[in-house]
Amino acid sequence: MVIDYNEIREQSLENFKGGEKTFNVKMFTDDNNKIMRGKLEAGASIGLHTHEGNSEIILILEGRGKVLYDGEYISLKAGDVHYCPMGHSHSLINDSDKDLKFFAVVGEH
């Protein structure tokens, strides 16, 4: 299977999960996975949430930012991968002055 993100409509999600500003995302979903190509503009974030019944892997494609993972801030840059296992909490924050672009997979357990 090939997922062509050029054919997927981008969604603009305001204050996603209680975060700041807009989360722009192209998303493929089925019964088992959510596969996303996302962008957070400068100062935007995805709010703190707990993964219950699933986990998430985030690959930073461009830019810099940080996650708040189980109460600890961790810096991220292009090429880094953040993993949030089931039962853990995290948020994704663009604290830079450029876009933060990433690829994420949320797998259901």
Side-chain angles (χ1 to χ4, degrees), residues 19-38:
E20 298 294 323
K21 297 187 175 185
T22 304
F23 169 37
N24 294 297
V25 63
K26 291 187 175 192
M27 189 179 326
F28 169 85
T29 59
D30 64 15
D31 292 339
N32 300 308
N33 296 286
K34 198 178 292 178
I35 305 171
M36 300 169 277
R37 190 170 75 186

Side-chain angles (χ1 to χ4, degrees), residues 19 24 41 52 71 76 79 81-82 89 92-93 97 100 103:
N24 294 297
E41 64 186 25
E52 298 174 2
L76 297 171
V81 174
H82 164 64
S89 299
L92 180 61
I93 304 155
D97 59 355
L100 175 63
F103 185 82

Side-chain angles (χ1 to χ4, degrees), residues 64-68 73-76 91-95 100:
R64 303 180 79 74
K66 63 185 177 184
V67 290
L68 175 58
Y73 286 101
I74 303 167
S75 295
L76 297 171
S91 66
L92 180 61
I93 304 155
N94 182 352
D95 60 352
L100 175 63

